[in-house]
Amino acid sequence: MDAIDTIKDSFKKAKKIVEDDATDITLFLLWKKNSKSDMQFSKAEIGNEEKKSFIKRFQRDYSSSDEYSPYSVTMEKTERKIYINNDFFPLMNSYISALNLDVPDSDKKYNDDLDGVVDHLDYVKGYCADFVNTDTKKHVYLFGGITSFNSMQKKRALGMIGNVTVSGITKLSDDDKILGFKPYTICYIYENTCIIQSKQGFENLFGLIEEYKRSALNVVKIMEDDSNFFQGFAQMESDLRKRPIYYRSLVKFSKYPERLKHLSNHLSEIKKVVKENSNFSNDYDKVVLNDKGIVYSTDALEQILSLLNEKPVSSLITGEEFLADRDE
């Protein structure tokens, strides 16, 4: 069974759990006080109307006719669903572990009520509806985002909305503590597979900038260790901290560090692309090369990252590919 068939088979099993009469739903709000704090998880009591809304969300956003693409941090917008193994980024497993109801009180990683967030709804970053089949004990975790918080006006609210109190989430009334749920989900996780509906929402909720950062700085360290070819690259760490959006440009090299070695073996081909070919020279006019390798400078950061992630061009580059091919 190939990857796509495996994904489709996984979807059928997840759908059966979501729609089974023997399935219970537990809702968690995911929140954090600031960007440096860890994600917190608060269990919320909800009624039948809210439970049905999460089932409908799953049914609307995921279908047996979906087409799939493998996840890549370099992927741009796609009309397909994106799939990823749930151990690809460690935070995914840590979230699932935190939502586990079948542990002793001493081992709980979630809060039993909404007391920590009811007066601070702007802490809330998203939700997880945990579908668990009471017969098989199989789980499907459906993640989604939040629209706005205390200042929300009912007429502007999107998706499911409700009042938040310590005792739970109830139908909308005149209480001013109103939580809005975005109408489209972010992803669901079943066993070892995650199917992503919103790539941007997925990356925001799971804090992947931190994952990008960790991976990228490991790559910078590899470059520093090869200081003969990657000259002055210690400065890149400081520059990336100021522009964290570029961390993702180095993530692939943390998975395939041998590609950096391939790059350093092909200086002559790089020179042809960067300096001699008219189709490329303007794109890389800030990149400095010498007879040993690449000389780093802050103003060349974007161009260096672009060069590292450029697709091989067979008509220009001969021999072994030295550039990181993108996942399409």
Side-chain angles (χ1 to χ4, degrees), residues 265-305:
N265 286 339
H266 291 274
L267 179 59
S268 60
E269 287 90 343
I270 296 173
K271 286 182 177 179
K272 290 178 182 178
V273 172
V274 172
K275 300 302 179 185
E276 299 175 16
N277 188 279
S278 59
N279 293 324
F280 287 83
S281 57
N282 289 337
D283 295 333
Y284 300 119
D285 61 324
K286 295 180 181 179
V287 176
V288 175
L289 304 174
N290 60 23
D291 59 351
K292 294 182 178 180
I294 303 173
V295 181
Y296 182 81
S297 65
T298 298
D299 66 344
L301 172 62
E302 290 185 45
Q303 292 189 4
I304 289 173
L305 294 176

mmCIF file of all heavy atoms in Angstrom, residues 265-305:
data_model
loop_
_atom_site.group_PDB
_atom_site.id
_atom_site.type_symbol
_atom_site.label_atom_id
_atom_site.label_comp_id
_atom_site.label_asym_id
_atom_site.label_seq_id
_atom_site.Cartn_x
_atom_site.Cartn_y
_atom_site.Cartn_z
ATOM 1 N N ASN A 265 31.295 20.815 -2.398
ATOM 2 C CA ASN A 265 32.079 20.087 -3.396
ATOM 3 C C ASN A 265 31.928 20.655 -4.801
ATOM 4 O O ASN A 265 32.570 20.172 -5.732
ATOM 5 C CB ASN A 265 31.653 18.608 -3.428
ATOM 6 C CG ASN A 265 32.166 17.848 -2.220
ATOM 7 O OD1 ASN A 265 33.117 18.264 -1.581
ATOM 8 N ND2 ASN A 265 31.515 16.736 -1.903
ATOM 9 N N HIS A 266 31.059 21.668 -4.945
ATOM 10 C CA HIS A 266 30.738 22.141 -6.289
ATOM 11 C C HIS A 266 30.865 23.661 -6.402
ATOM 12 O O HIS A 266 30.004 24.322 -6.973
ATOM 13 C CB HIS A 266 29.334 21.693 -6.687
ATOM 14 C CG HIS A 266 29.222 20.213 -6.894
ATOM 15 N ND1 HIS A 266 29.519 19.597 -8.090
ATOM 16 C CD2 HIS A 266 28.878 19.225 -6.040
ATOM 17 C CE1 HIS A 266 29.349 18.296 -7.968
ATOM 18 N NE2 HIS A 266 28.952 18.045 -6.737
ATOM 19 N N LEU A 267 31.959 24.180 -5.896
ATOM 20 C CA LEU A 267 32.157 25.633 -5.935
ATOM 21 C C LEU A 267 32.214 26.156 -7.368
ATOM 22 O O LEU A 267 31.664 27.219 -7.664
ATOM 23 C CB LEU A 267 33.440 26.008 -5.181
ATOM 24 C CG LEU A 267 33.783 27.494 -5.154
ATOM 25 C CD1 LEU A 267 32.650 28.294 -4.517
ATOM 26 C CD2 LEU A 267 35.105 27.705 -4.384
ATOM 27 N N SER A 268 32.834 25.424 -8.249
ATOM 28 C CA SER A 268 32.956 25.909 -9.630
ATOM 29 C C SER A 268 31.585 26.028 -10.288
ATOM 30 O O SER A 268 31.330 26.989 -11.024
ATOM 31 C CB SER A 268 33.856 24.971 -10.447
ATOM 32 O OG SER A 268 33.325 23.653 -10.494
ATOM 33 N N GLU A 269 30.681 25.049 -10.035
ATOM 34 C CA GLU A 269 29.328 25.125 -10.592
ATOM 35 C C GLU A 269 28.550 26.286 -9.993
ATOM 36 O O GLU A 269 27.768 26.955 -10.682
ATOM 37 C CB GLU A 269 28.573 23.817 -10.344
ATOM 38 C CG GLU A 269 29.044 22.647 -11.199
ATOM 39 C CD GLU A 269 30.159 21.867 -10.527
ATOM 40 O OE1 GLU A 269 30.785 22.394 -9.577
ATOM 41 O OE2 GLU A 269 30.408 20.723 -10.954
ATOM 42 N N ILE A 270 28.747 26.540 -8.699
ATOM 43 C CA ILE A 270 28.073 27.668 -8.050
ATOM 44 C C ILE A 270 28.512 28.976 -8.690
ATOM 45 O O ILE A 270 27.692 29.858 -8.949
ATOM 46 C CB ILE A 270 28.383 27.681 -6.537
ATOM 47 C CG1 ILE A 270 27.819 26.436 -5.867
ATOM 48 C CG2 ILE A 270 27.796 28.930 -5.875
ATOM 49 C CD1 ILE A 270 28.233 26.283 -4.418
ATOM 50 N N LYS A 271 29.792 29.085 -8.953
ATOM 51 C CA LYS A 271 30.299 30.310 -9.581
ATOM 52 C C LYS A 271 29.666 30.529 -10.953
ATOM 53 O O LYS A 271 29.326 31.658 -11.315
ATOM 54 C CB LYS A 271 31.822 30.233 -9.705
ATOM 55 C CG LYS A 271 32.565 30.411 -8.382
ATOM 56 C CD LYS A 271 34.070 30.376 -8.595
ATOM 57 C CE LYS A 271 34.817 30.634 -7.287
ATOM 58 N NZ LYS A 271 36.292 30.574 -7.465
ATOM 59 N N LYS A 272 29.478 29.460 -11.691
ATOM 60 C CA LYS A 272 28.858 29.590 -13.010
ATOM 61 C C LYS A 272 27.433 30.117 -12.888
ATOM 62 O O LYS A 272 26.994 30.946 -13.685
ATOM 63 C CB LYS A 272 28.863 28.241 -13.726
ATOM 64 C CG LYS A 272 30.242 27.771 -14.166
ATOM 65 C CD LYS A 272 30.162 26.397 -14.813
ATOM 66 C CE LYS A 272 31.544 25.895 -15.208
ATOM 67 N NZ LYS A 272 31.478 24.524 -15.797
ATOM 68 N N VAL A 273 26.703 29.611 -11.889
ATOM 69 C CA VAL A 273 25.314 30.027 -11.702
ATOM 70 C C VAL A 273 25.238 31.456 -11.185
ATOM 71 O O VAL A 273 24.478 32.285 -11.687
ATOM 72 C CB VAL A 273 24.585 29.070 -10.734
ATOM 73 C CG1 VAL A 273 23.205 29.616 -10.379
ATOM 74 C CG2 VAL A 273 24.454 27.682 -11.342
ATOM 75 N N VAL A 274 26.038 31.757 -10.168
ATOM 76 C CA VAL A 274 25.923 33.033 -9.458
ATOM 77 C C VAL A 274 26.546 34.186 -10.241
ATOM 78 O O VAL A 274 26.002 35.294 -10.267
ATOM 79 C CB VAL A 274 26.575 32.927 -8.065
ATOM 80 C CG1 VAL A 274 26.637 34.278 -7.384
ATOM 81 C CG2 VAL A 274 25.810 31.935 -7.203
ATOM 82 N N LYS A 275 27.671 33.949 -10.893
ATOM 83 C CA LYS A 275 28.424 35.055 -11.479
ATOM 84 C C LYS A 275 28.413 35.100 -13.002
ATOM 85 O O LYS A 275 28.544 36.166 -13.589
ATOM 86 C CB LYS A 275 29.882 34.989 -10.995
ATOM 87 C CG LYS A 275 30.033 35.089 -9.479
ATOM 88 C CD LYS A 275 29.430 36.379 -8.934
ATOM 89 C CE LYS A 275 29.558 36.481 -7.427
ATOM 90 N NZ LYS A 275 28.857 37.678 -6.889
ATOM 91 N N GLU A 276 28.265 33.967 -13.655
ATOM 92 C CA GLU A 276 28.460 33.937 -15.100
ATOM 93 C C GLU A 276 27.169 33.810 -15.893
ATOM 94 O O GLU A 276 27.143 34.159 -17.075
ATOM 95 C CB GLU A 276 29.402 32.775 -15.469
ATOM 96 C CG GLU A 276 30.786 32.909 -14.835
ATOM 97 C CD GLU A 276 31.658 31.701 -15.115
ATOM 98 O OE1 GLU A 276 31.305 30.917 -16.046
ATOM 99 O OE2 GLU A 276 32.676 31.527 -14.418
ATOM 100 N N ASN A 277 26.107 33.293 -15.278
ATOM 101 C CA ASN A 277 24.877 33.083 -16.035
ATOM 102 C C ASN A 277 23.943 34.271 -15.880
ATOM 103 O O ASN A 277 23.570 34.645 -14.777
ATOM 104 C CB ASN A 277 24.186 31.802 -15.562
ATOM 105 C CG ASN A 277 23.006 31.444 -16.449
ATOM 106 O OD1 ASN A 277 21.923 31.999 -16.294
ATOM 107 N ND2 ASN A 277 23.221 30.527 -17.390
ATOM 108 N N SER A 278 23.524 34.850 -16.972
ATOM 109 C CA SER A 278 22.710 36.074 -16.933
ATOM 110 C C SER A 278 21.332 35.838 -16.330
ATOM 111 O O SER A 278 20.697 36.763 -15.829
ATOM 112 C CB SER A 278 22.565 36.652 -18.340
ATOM 113 O OG SER A 278 21.962 35.703 -19.209
ATOM 114 N N ASN A 279 20.856 34.598 -16.357
ATOM 115 C CA ASN A 279 19.545 34.295 -15.780
ATOM 116 C C ASN A 279 19.564 34.320 -14.256
ATOM 117 O O ASN A 279 18.508 34.437 -13.627
ATOM 118 C CB ASN A 279 19.066 32.916 -16.247
ATOM 119 C CG ASN A 279 18.778 32.881 -17.727
ATOM 120 O OD1 ASN A 279 18.285 33.848 -18.291
ATOM 121 N ND2 ASN A 279 19.116 31.768 -18.376
ATOM 122 N N PHE A 280 20.765 34.208 -13.665
ATOM 123 C CA PHE A 280 20.872 34.109 -12.218
ATOM 124 C C PHE A 280 21.670 35.239 -11.573
ATOM 125 O O PHE A 280 21.473 35.542 -10.402
ATOM 126 C CB PHE A 280 21.543 32.774 -11.827
ATOM 127 C CG PHE A 280 20.667 31.578 -12.016
ATOM 128 C CD1 PHE A 280 20.560 30.977 -13.270
ATOM 129 C CD2 PHE A 280 19.950 31.035 -10.969
ATOM 130 C CE1 PHE A 280 19.765 29.866 -13.466
ATOM 131 C CE2 PHE A 280 19.151 29.924 -11.143
ATOM 132 C CZ PHE A 280 19.052 29.335 -12.395
ATOM 133 N N SER A 281 22.575 35.836 -12.301
ATOM 134 C CA SER A 281 23.541 36.752 -11.692
ATOM 135 C C SER A 281 22.877 37.928 -10.983
ATOM 136 O O SER A 281 23.340 38.348 -9.910
ATOM 137 C CB SER A 281 24.530 37.258 -12.753
ATOM 138 O OG SER A 281 23.837 37.885 -13.822
ATOM 139 N N ASN A 282 21.801 38.454 -11.526
ATOM 140 C CA ASN A 282 21.118 39.571 -10.858
ATOM 141 C C ASN A 282 20.450 39.141 -9.555
ATOM 142 O O ASN A 282 20.336 39.935 -8.615
ATOM 143 C CB ASN A 282 20.064 40.189 -11.789
ATOM 144 C CG ASN A 282 20.687 40.951 -12.940
ATOM 145 O OD1 ASN A 282 21.831 41.395 -12.849
ATOM 146 N ND2 ASN A 282 19.942 41.091 -14.022
ATOM 147 N N ASP A 283 20.010 37.869 -9.492
ATOM 148 C CA ASP A 283 19.362 37.360 -8.278
ATOM 149 C C ASP A 283 20.365 37.164 -7.147
ATOM 150 O O ASP A 283 19.979 37.142 -5.976
ATOM 151 C CB ASP A 283 18.669 36.022 -8.565
ATOM 152 C CG ASP A 283 17.516 36.166 -9.537
ATOM 153 O OD1 ASP A 283 16.929 37.269 -9.599
ATOM 154 O OD2 ASP A 283 17.212 35.189 -10.245
ATOM 155 N N TYR A 284 21.614 37.014 -7.502
ATOM 156 C CA TYR A 284 22.641 36.716 -6.500
ATOM 157 C C TYR A 284 23.780 37.732 -6.524
ATOM 158 O O TYR A 284 24.928 37.397 -6.250
ATOM 159 C CB TYR A 284 23.195 35.298 -6.737
ATOM 160 C CG TYR A 284 22.137 34.225 -6.643
ATOM 161 C CD1 TYR A 284 21.845 33.409 -7.723
ATOM 162 C CD2 TYR A 284 21.405 34.039 -5.466
ATOM 163 C CE1 TYR A 284 20.867 32.429 -7.645
ATOM 164 C CE2 TYR A 284 20.423 33.070 -5.375
ATOM 165 C CZ TYR A 284 20.155 32.271 -6.464
ATOM 166 O OH TYR A 284 19.178 31.303 -6.366
ATOM 167 N N ASP A 285 23.454 38.979 -6.815
ATOM 168 C CA ASP A 285 24.503 39.983 -6.958
ATOM 169 C C ASP A 285 25.176 40.355 -5.642
ATOM 170 O O ASP A 285 26.266 40.928 -5.638
ATOM 171 C CB ASP A 285 23.931 41.236 -7.630
ATOM 172 C CG ASP A 285 22.807 41.869 -6.824
ATOM 173 O OD1 ASP A 285 22.024 41.129 -6.194
ATOM 174 O OD2 ASP A 285 22.683 43.101 -6.824
ATOM 175 N N LYS A 286 24.542 40.018 -4.490
ATOM 176 C CA LYS A 286 25.141 40.337 -3.193
ATOM 177 C C LYS A 286 25.955 39.171 -2.619
ATOM 178 O O LYS A 286 26.636 39.339 -1.604
ATOM 179 C CB LYS A 286 24.045 40.736 -2.197
ATOM 180 C CG LYS A 286 23.316 42.023 -2.580
ATOM 181 C CD LYS A 286 22.247 42.366 -1.548
ATOM 182 C CE LYS A 286 21.506 43.637 -1.949
ATOM 183 N NZ LYS A 286 20.435 43.984 -0.975
ATOM 184 N N VAL A 287 25.861 38.021 -3.250
ATOM 185 C CA VAL A 287 26.593 36.849 -2.773
ATOM 186 C C VAL A 287 28.063 36.980 -3.150
ATOM 187 O O VAL A 287 28.400 37.166 -4.319
ATOM 188 C CB VAL A 287 26.010 35.552 -3.357
ATOM 189 C CG1 VAL A 287 26.851 34.348 -2.922
ATOM 190 C CG2 VAL A 287 24.560 35.378 -2.914
ATOM 191 N N VAL A 288 28.940 36.874 -2.160
ATOM 192 C CA VAL A 288 30.382 36.989 -2.370
ATOM 193 C C VAL A 288 31.002 35.594 -2.346
ATOM 194 O O VAL A 288 30.812 34.827 -1.399
ATOM 195 C CB VAL A 288 31.034 37.871 -1.296
ATOM 196 C CG1 VAL A 288 32.553 37.891 -1.463
ATOM 197 C CG2 VAL A 288 30.467 39.288 -1.358
ATOM 198 N N LEU A 289 31.747 35.275 -3.382
ATOM 199 C CA LEU A 289 32.471 34.009 -3.478
ATOM 200 C C LEU A 289 33.954 34.297 -3.590
ATOM 201 O O LEU A 289 34.356 35.305 -4.170
ATOM 202 C CB LEU A 289 32.018 33.205 -4.701
ATOM 203 C CG LEU A 289 30.516 32.884 -4.818
ATOM 204 C CD1 LEU A 289 30.246 32.214 -6.165
ATOM 205 C CD2 LEU A 289 30.062 31.995 -3.681
ATOM 206 N N ASN A 290 34.783 33.406 -3.036
ATOM 207 C CA ASN A 290 36.216 33.475 -3.284
ATOM 208 C C ASN A 290 36.700 32.086 -3.680
ATOM 209 O O ASN A 290 35.886 31.210 -3.965
ATOM 210 C CB ASN A 290 36.980 34.041 -2.074
ATOM 211 C CG ASN A 290 36.791 33.204 -0.820
ATOM 212 O OD1 ASN A 290 36.464 32.012 -0.897
ATOM 213 N ND2 ASN A 290 36.976 33.813 0.337
ATOM 214 N N ASP A 291 37.992 31.895 -3.700
ATOM 215 C CA ASP A 291 38.499 30.619 -4.204
ATOM 216 C C ASP A 291 38.287 29.469 -3.227
ATOM 217 O O ASP A 291 38.572 28.312 -3.545
ATOM 218 C CB ASP A 291 39.984 30.741 -4.563
ATOM 219 C CG ASP A 291 40.835 31.159 -3.363
ATOM 220 O OD1 ASP A 291 40.255 31.509 -2.306
ATOM 221 O OD2 ASP A 291 42.069 31.144 -3.492
ATOM 222 N N LYS A 292 37.747 29.752 -2.014
ATOM 223 C CA LYS A 292 37.492 28.698 -1.032
ATOM 224 C C LYS A 292 36.006 28.379 -0.875
ATOM 225 O O LYS A 292 35.638 27.255 -0.547
ATOM 226 C CB LYS A 292 38.065 29.096 0.330
ATOM 227 C CG LYS A 292 39.583 29.184 0.353
ATOM 228 C CD LYS A 292 40.070 29.531 1.759
ATOM 229 C CE LYS A 292 41.591 29.575 1.803
ATOM 230 N NZ LYS A 292 42.081 29.916 3.177
ATOM 231 N N GLY A 293 35.150 29.402 -1.050
ATOM 232 C CA GLY A 293 33.732 29.140 -0.844
ATOM 233 C C GLY A 293 32.908 30.410 -0.792
ATOM 234 O O GLY A 293 33.206 31.388 -1.482
ATOM 235 N N ILE A 294 31.877 30.390 0.072
ATOM 236 C CA ILE A 294 30.934 31.504 0.200
ATOM 237 C C ILE A 294 31.327 32.364 1.393
ATOM 238 O O ILE A 294 31.560 31.846 2.487
ATOM 239 C CB ILE A 294 29.498 30.987 0.390
ATOM 240 C CG1 ILE A 294 29.087 30.071 -0.761
ATOM 241 C CG2 ILE A 294 28.509 32.143 0.512
ATOM 242 C CD1 ILE A 294 27.737 29.388 -0.562
ATOM 243 N N VAL A 295 31.363 33.673 1.183
ATOM 244 C CA VAL A 295 31.686 34.615 2.258
ATOM 245 C C VAL A 295 30.380 35.255 2.733
ATOM 246 O O VAL A 295 29.683 35.911 1.959
ATOM 247 C CB VAL A 295 32.665 35.703 1.782
ATOM 248 C CG1 VAL A 295 33.001 36.645 2.930
ATOM 249 C CG2 VAL A 295 33.939 35.058 1.209
ATOM 250 N N TYR A 296 30.055 35.061 3.998
ATOM 251 C CA TYR A 296 28.761 35.537 4.511
ATOM 252 C C TYR A 296 28.778 37.044 4.769
ATOM 253 O O TYR A 296 29.774 37.604 5.215
ATOM 254 C CB TYR A 296 28.394 34.826 5.813
ATOM 255 C CG TYR A 296 27.052 35.254 6.347
ATOM 256 C CD1 TYR A 296 25.882 34.707 5.834
ATOM 257 C CD2 TYR A 296 26.949 36.244 7.325
ATOM 258 C CE1 TYR A 296 24.637 35.117 6.288
ATOM 259 C CE2 TYR A 296 25.709 36.667 7.786
ATOM 260 C CZ TYR A 296 24.560 36.091 7.259
ATOM 261 O OH TYR A 296 23.331 36.515 7.715
ATOM 262 N N SER A 297 27.631 37.684 4.506
ATOM 263 C CA SER A 297 27.406 39.060 4.922
ATOM 264 C C SER A 297 25.915 39.219 5.220
ATOM 265 O O SER A 297 25.083 38.532 4.615
ATOM 266 C CB SER A 297 27.839 40.062 3.843
ATOM 267 O OG SER A 297 27.039 39.920 2.683
ATOM 268 N N THR A 298 25.590 40.122 6.134
ATOM 269 C CA THR A 298 24.202 40.296 6.549
ATOM 270 C C THR A 298 23.303 40.695 5.394
ATOM 271 O O THR A 298 22.186 40.191 5.247
ATOM 272 C CB THR A 298 24.118 41.359 7.667
ATOM 273 O OG1 THR A 298 24.858 40.896 8.806
ATOM 274 C CG2 THR A 298 22.677 41.624 8.063
ATOM 275 N N ASP A 299 23.765 41.583 4.545
ATOM 276 C CA ASP A 299 22.903 42.055 3.458
ATOM 277 C C ASP A 299 22.693 41.004 2.368
ATOM 278 O O ASP A 299 21.833 41.163 1.499
ATOM 279 C CB ASP A 299 23.434 43.359 2.858
ATOM 280 C CG ASP A 299 24.767 43.181 2.154
ATOM 281 O OD1 ASP A 299 25.424 42.147 2.373
ATOM 282 O OD2 ASP A 299 25.150 44.076 1.381
ATOM 283 N N ALA A 300 23.467 39.921 2.431
ATOM 284 C CA ALA A 300 23.304 38.847 1.446
ATOM 285 C C ALA A 300 22.498 37.668 2.005
ATOM 286 O O ALA A 300 22.349 36.649 1.327
ATOM 287 C CB ALA A 300 24.669 38.352 0.977
ATOM 288 N N LEU A 301 21.946 37.801 3.216
ATOM 289 C CA LEU A 301 21.251 36.692 3.869
ATOM 290 C C LEU A 301 20.169 36.089 2.973
ATOM 291 O O LEU A 301 20.143 34.877 2.745
ATOM 292 C CB LEU A 301 20.629 37.156 5.190
ATOM 293 C CG LEU A 301 19.714 36.147 5.893
ATOM 294 C CD1 LEU A 301 20.481 34.883 6.272
ATOM 295 C CD2 LEU A 301 19.058 36.766 7.128
ATOM 296 N N GLU A 302 19.264 36.914 2.465
ATOM 297 C CA GLU A 302 18.160 36.404 1.653
ATOM 298 C C GLU A 302 18.672 35.683 0.416
ATOM 299 O O GLU A 302 18.162 34.614 0.051
ATOM 300 C CB GLU A 302 17.237 37.548 1.237
ATOM 301 C CG GLU A 302 16.424 38.142 2.367
ATOM 302 C CD GLU A 302 15.441 39.182 1.858
ATOM 303 O OE1 GLU A 302 14.780 38.919 0.839
ATOM 304 O OE2 GLU A 302 15.351 40.256 2.465
ATOM 305 N N GLN A 303 19.672 36.247 -0.241
ATOM 306 C CA GLN A 303 20.168 35.637 -1.471
ATOM 307 C C GLN A 303 20.893 34.323 -1.190
ATOM 308 O O GLN A 303 20.793 33.374 -1.984
ATOM 309 C CB GLN A 303 21.079 36.623 -2.205
ATOM 310 C CG GLN A 303 20.325 37.829 -2.756
ATOM 311 C CD GLN A 303 21.203 38.680 -3.673
ATOM 312 O OE1 GLN A 303 22.349 38.332 -3.961
ATOM 313 N NE2 GLN A 303 20.650 39.796 -4.137
ATOM 314 N N ILE A 304 21.611 34.268 -0.081
ATOM 315 C CA ILE A 304 22.290 33.019 0.278
ATOM 316 C C ILE A 304 21.269 31.922 0.553
ATOM 317 O O ILE A 304 21.413 30.783 0.097
ATOM 318 C CB ILE A 304 23.218 33.230 1.494
ATOM 319 C CG1 ILE A 304 24.433 34.074 1.087
ATOM 320 C CG2 ILE A 304 23.668 31.893 2.068
ATOM 321 C CD1 ILE A 304 25.320 34.474 2.240
ATOM 322 N N LEU A 305 20.207 32.261 1.299
ATOM 323 C CA LEU A 305 19.162 31.277 1.585
ATOM 324 C C LEU A 305 18.459 30.840 0.307
ATOM 325 O O LEU A 305 18.109 29.667 0.142
ATOM 326 C CB LEU A 305 18.157 31.852 2.578
ATOM 327 C CG LEU A 305 18.703 32.118 3.979
ATOM 328 C CD1 LEU A 305 17.638 32.767 4.848
ATOM 329 C CD2 LEU A 305 19.197 30.829 4.622
#
